[in-house]
Each structure stands twice: as C-alpha cells, then as structure tokens.
Amino acid sequence: MENMEKLNKKPLRKGDLIQLKIENLDTKGRAYGFYDENKIYTNINAAKDQIVEGIFVKRRHKYELIHCKIIDFAGRKNAIYDDEARQNGGCNYQYYTYEEQLEIKAGHIKKELDRIIKNEYIFEEPVKSPKPEKYRNKMEFSFGNAVKDGPIILGLHKQNSFHDIVEVDGLKLMDDNFNQIYIFCNEFCKKTGFDFYHRLDHKGFFRNLVIRKAEFTKQILVNIITTTEIEETQKREFQEMFKEGLLALKLSDGFEISGILHTFNDNFSDMVISESETILYGERDLMVISESETILYGERDLTEEIFGLKFKISPYSFFQTNSDGVELLYGKVMEYIDNVDENTNECTVFDLFSGTGTIGQIVSKKAKKVYGIELVEEAVRKANENARLNNIDNAEFIAGDVFEKLDELEEKEIKPDIIILDPPRPGVGEKTIMKLLKYDVSNIIYVSCNPKTLVQDLITFQENGYEVVRVCPVDMFPVTPHMEVVSMLRKVRD
C-alpha cells in the first residue's frame, strides 16, 4: 500500500501499469476507484476494497483499466464459481454477499427516485429472490472463441467484450441439470469439426444454444441455433447424434428433456430468431412461425404455473427468468391492485406491453375486464391460448403497437379505469404517456425492468398531475446489476 501511495503522486499516462483500490459499483454495476482524484473504471468484475491491477487508458468519456486482474480479493468469496478469480460478463456483483447486493442495488434505485420524486412516498424494502443462486429458468449461450483465432467454445460473453467468449461450466446461476446439458453441448460441438458463425464475414455453422425449463412440469427444452451452412447428410447425422446424446443424460430432481429443437438462422443479427426449425425431439403445437420445419417427436412448448394458472411458453416467448421469484413480483402487483381506491371488480384494466399475458390473467381475477396489448404476435397468440387454457373469459390480448391499438380501443369506446404498465427496457416513452393521460385514470401500476427509463417516465407522469405513492424493488436477478421495480402512481385530484 505504501508503494501505491507513492505511485499515486505520479501523473497518469496512457499505458501505465497501476493498482487501483475499488471504491464501489455504479448504477450499471461497473467497479471503480480513485487514483490521484481521477475516477477510473475496471473492465472486470470487482468489489469494494479489492485491489485491481491493470493498464491505464483514456476513453472518450471515462478513464479505464484494461487487461485487469485482481491481486487482493480483500477476503471476499466468489458467488458464481468455486475458483475465486473466474469471471464472466453480467455478474457484476459476484464478489458481494447477497445482503450487500440488495443494499447497493436498492440504494442506487432510491437515490435516483429521491432525485426526481417531489412528494413524500413509501420506498419499501427490496423483495429478495427465493434463491440467490441456481435461479435461472433460461440460459442463452453463444458459440465463439476465448481469443482471436482460438478453438470453438460455447459460453457467455466476457465482461466488456463483444467477441470473446468464456466457458461457464459450474456457473452457479444455473442448476445442475443446465450445467450437465451445457457441458455435453460444449464438448459435443467441439468434436463435430464445424466452425462457429463469424459475425464479420458471416461464415460458420454454430450460433447459440438456449436451455429453458418449467419448474411446474419439470420440462426442459434445448434449442440449438445454427446457420444453414451444412450439407443435408451431415445435418441429419449431426441432428441424430445430438438428440441421442442429450436424451442419454441422467437429469436430477425429476426433470426430463421434453423437447429438442434445431433452429436455423442466417440473419446477420445476433438475436435468437427462427427462420426455420427442425424438432429433433418433441411435439409441435399448431402455430406456424416458419415456412420450413420437420417434426420428429416430442413437445415444443413448456408449461409453467403461477398463482394456480398455467402458462404455455414457446421457445421465443418472453417469460421471467426467475421462476421462484415471479410470484413475488406479480404478488406485489396484486398487492398494489388491492390498494387502489376503487372497486376493482367493476373496473376495466389495460395491461400494456403485456407479453404472454401473465399479469393480465392474474389480475383478471379481480377485474371486470382486462385488455392486454403487446407488439410481439407470437406472445399474444400464447396469451390468448393461455387464457383459454385457464378458462379466463374476461381477458383479451391484442397484437400490435401499444400507441396504435389504444386508438382502436378508443374508437370502440373502450377506456380503462386502471392501467398496468410493464414495458421493455426502453420504457413507455413520452408519446405513449401523453396518450394515456387522456384517460385520466386514478391509478397506474408501473412494473419496470430498467430504473433509468422508469425515472424518465415518472418525470413525465409527475409533470402531468400524477404522484408516486409507493415503490418496491424486487430482485429477480441476483449477482447482476438488474432489479425489477414496481411503482404505484395516483392522480392528484383537487
């Protein structure tokens, strides 16, 4: 430490090898410290009081250390791997205890809200994830290499890297079954001799692997995504061996592989989408999302249960990634519904950005009528299918842009008494909010997955006659910087 203090007196220059004591994490989960009063970020995950060594560089808007390594772990344990130095992207809080994670993440949210909320409001204690580890019901892996021109591997992106991949066997965000499936797929694909898809020259075969599970039915779905860059005989041989290898795995806790998909994607985008698909093991529903597919056997969808309702989940539908935490999240929404100053049984509820209709169907128990609007057509098909499955006849889900579909409902003289918002990360946006203001509803419940856009939207609501009554963070994503936030807004009446 004495040597560090002496080094601190020298002016910093690009390329200097320095040691940095971590002060904290910012709202995005980036570790930083101070060196000669300069705020410097590290390009690896680190925690308060740890010492990180790296090369100093100047970026456009910040100072940063690259080629980092932690040289003093400050007695902290690694929450995601048994090896204390092992890392991967997204797990920014991997060196913090779970209680520390909650305190820091909720503290960041409260600080931002206190800055913009003008009235007194209740900020509730954060709701904990029932499982701080092994909580994910979906894992999406990428094929690539650890270093340029290195051999093919399957894993997750390295912290702050678009190209580099790190292997993640033993990652404690996923359960033992996911880990076993991941290890098999990683080793199997290495042995095929096929290359991974290179983003720059758009050549190669392997792209992604997605594993999903349903806790209620004990189903697991495996979906391998590739290009069509393979001969027909090679494809059939690959598919058969891949299927046989997966079905030979001995899974635990009563789980079984219920479906194996081979999705083809020649799109330049890295999004996991289907241009066509082959079901290697499983049964397809009647919904068609591609012009070309072959059915071999099994089930394509998963079925999950929340609050006694069943939800069929397709391979590409959004569903909360923390099965044990989802009831706590939607339970908070129901609690806020119970606190509105209206008889909800006589109310029409708009569930906007409704996804597969989970919130809308749960809320339908306490509403006269629910209208859900969602942009993704497949999600809407599933929402209406799930409503029929659950014998819900007072919920209707509509596919299309929220802004445009509100106009159509208004033409039918359909207006809400309560509005529930659950937008994607970009938030609701001022244009849509201004349209919602015309309904003059007394109560709005806002479920946010991005505190930054929540703040922007709350400013707009406040400027137009609403006040924030209460806010509750719900931790659905331990070890990551993310938190869901449920807010209750009320119209200020004279």
Side-chain angles (χ1 to χ4, degrees), residues 164-370:
D164 297 342
I165 302 295
V166 293
E167 292 178 301
V168 293
D169 51 292
L171 176 64
K172 295 179 182 179
L173 299 189
M174 56 184 179
D175 67 18
D176 295 341
N177 290 326
F178 274 34
N179 188 55
Q180 188 180 172
I181 293 168
Y182 161 77
I183 291 172
F184 164 77
C185 293
N186 188 22
E187 295 306 314
F188 175 85
C189 293
K190 288 178 183 178
K191 294 174 183 176
T192 63
F194 300 138
D195 201 1
F196 65 91
Y197 176 75
H198 293 259
R199 298 177 184 86
L200 297 181
D201 59 13
H202 309 297
K203 294 185 182 296
F205 181 62
F206 290 114
R207 297 194 70 153
N208 303 95
L209 176 80
V210 180
I211 312 173
R212 301 185 78 155
K213 69 174 179 177
E215 293 284 352
F216 171 68
T217 53
K218 302 293 184 182
Q219 297 170 297
I220 292 179
L221 176 69
V222 181
N223 185 7
I224 189 156
I225 297 93
T226 73
T227 67
T228 58
E229 197 173 294
I230 187 173
E231 294 179 1
E232 185 62 29
T233 54
Q234 290 179 312
K235 182 181 74 173
R236 287 198 297 268
E237 182 181 1
F238 163 76
Q239 291 174 339
E240 186 63 26
M241 293 178 66
F242 185 67
K243 180 186 73 173
E244 289 180 356
L246 283 170
L247 295 178
L249 298 176
K250 305 297 183 184
L251 304 183
S252 59
D253 298 324
F255 279 90
E256 293 182 353
I257 293 176
S258 60
I260 303 170
L261 306 184
H262 185 181
T263 295
F264 298 97
N265 176 19
D266 289 324
N267 197 291
F268 288 170
S269 168
D270 277 338
M271 290 180 62
V272 176
I273 60 176
S274 171
E275 294 190 336
S276 66
E277 69 183 26
T278 299
I279 300 183
L280 303 182
Y281 181 84
E283 177 181 292
R284 208 189 198 305
D285 60 13
L286 296 177
M287 182 182 61
V288 177
I289 62 170
S290 63
E291 295 180 355
S292 170
E293 73 181 21
T294 303
I295 302 173
L296 297 185
Y297 185 75
E299 287 184 39
R300 178 180 181 267
D301 292 344
L302 302 177
T303 302
E304 191 58 280
E305 183 172 309
I306 306 170
F307 288 113
L309 300 175
K310 293 181 174 62
F311 295 92
K312 293 190 75 174
I313 307 164
S314 71
Y316 313 103
S317 294
F318 170 79
F319 196 81
Q320 291 286 352
T321 56
N322 187 333
S323 296
D324 293 299
V326 71
E327 284 202 359
L328 299 179
L329 175 66
Y330 296 151
K332 184 57 65 174
V333 174
M334 294 292 281
E335 179 187 324
Y336 285 8
I337 286 282
D338 288 338
N339 278 283
V340 304
D341 49 2
E342 300 180 61
N343 179 6
T344 60
N345 291 322
E346 298 299 322
C347 288
T348 296
V349 177
F350 278 11
D351 175 20
L352 305 183
F353 311 97
S354 54
T356 51
T358 45
I359 292 179
Q361 290 180 63
I362 293 166
V363 168
S364 69
K365 298 177 181 180
K366 299 191 175 187
K368 180 181 179 181
K369 181 72 175 182
V370 175

Side-chain angles (χ1 to χ4, degrees), residues 106-116 121 123:
H108 284 319
I109 293 168
K110 187 174 188 304
K111 182 179 178 181
E112 288 301 303
L113 293 177
D114 286 347
R115 181 176 59 83
I116 61 102
Y121 74 103
F123 188 87

Side-chain angles (χ1 to χ4, degrees), residues 462-494:
Q462 287 183 122
E463 290 174 345
N464 290 276
Y466 283 87
E467 64 179 8
V468 180
V469 178
R470 59 197 307 139
V471 175
C472 183
V474 181
D475 190 25
M476 300 285 286
F477 320 103
V479 190
T480 79
H482 306 297
M483 261 189 165
E484 297 277 329
V485 183
V486 186
S487 304
M488 184 174 183
L489 289 72
R490 187 166 291 155
K491 180 74 173 182
V492 178
R493 305 291 183 185
D494 294 333

